[in-house]
Amino acid sequence: QVQLEESGGGLVQAGGSLRLSCAASGNIFSINAMGWYRQAPGKQRELVAAITSGGSTNYGDSVKGRFTISRDNAKNTVYLQMNSLKPEDTAVYYCNADGVHTSTHWGYAYWGQGTQVTVSS
């Protein structure tokens, strides 16, 4: 019923920028929190950034000051502006929506399929 469509990933040189988007579709009444996680080869999945419907944000330590998460509640869309990218930012980035309320489900969580971000040195 709910799908998360991610876009914006790609290849960029170190120091460059990318903007990721994730749009949730379906008969959605509200989403409490949306965010981004990433997983690099051989590493555990980690939180990148998250934002609540009220605008509260949480960032992973490694991206603070470089990444900015934002959200358009009306469009059920979350964005991740990534600046000053480093090679260590290379990973698959996964969109997450938590506390999703629909006509049939309440408080469920959903994940996107992931989008590849590659930062070359």
Side-chain angles (χ1 to χ4, degrees), residues 4 8 13 17-18 20 27 34 40 44 61 67 69 71 75 79 84 86 91-92 97 101 107-108 116:
L4 302 181
Q13 291 185 327
S17 299
L18 285 174
L20 304 183
N27 190 17
M34 300 186 74
Q44 296 182 355
D61 290 339
F67 292 7
I69 191 168
R71 176 173 174 172
K75 296 181 179 180
Y79 307 93
S84 302
K86 304 175 181 179
V92 177
H101 303 302
Y108 277 42
Q116 178 70 47

Side-chain angles (χ1 to χ4, degrees), residues 24-99:
S25 61
N27 190 17
I28 300 171
F29 296 147
S30 63
I31 302 173
N32 178 254
M34 300 186 74
W36 294 90
Y37 292 73
R38 69 186 183 187
Q39 187 167 22
K43 296 184 178 180
Q44 296 182 355
R45 186 174 298 189
E46 64 177 349
L47 171 70
V48 178
I51 185 169
T52 68
S53 61
S56 298
T57 59
N58 186 31
Y59 293 93
D61 290 339
S62 63
V63 307
K64 289 181 179 178
R66 299 187 298 119
F67 292 7
T68 303
I69 191 168
S70 60
R71 176 173 174 172
D72 186 336
N73 291 333
K75 296 181 179 180
N76 290 321
T77 300
V78 64
Y79 307 93
L80 184 68
Q81 180 65 47
M82 303 185 293
N83 298 326
S84 302
L85 283 163
K86 304 175 181 179
E88 48 263 46
D89 294 319
T90 296
V92 177
Y93 285 68
Y94 297 91
C95 179
N96 170 260
D98 202 1

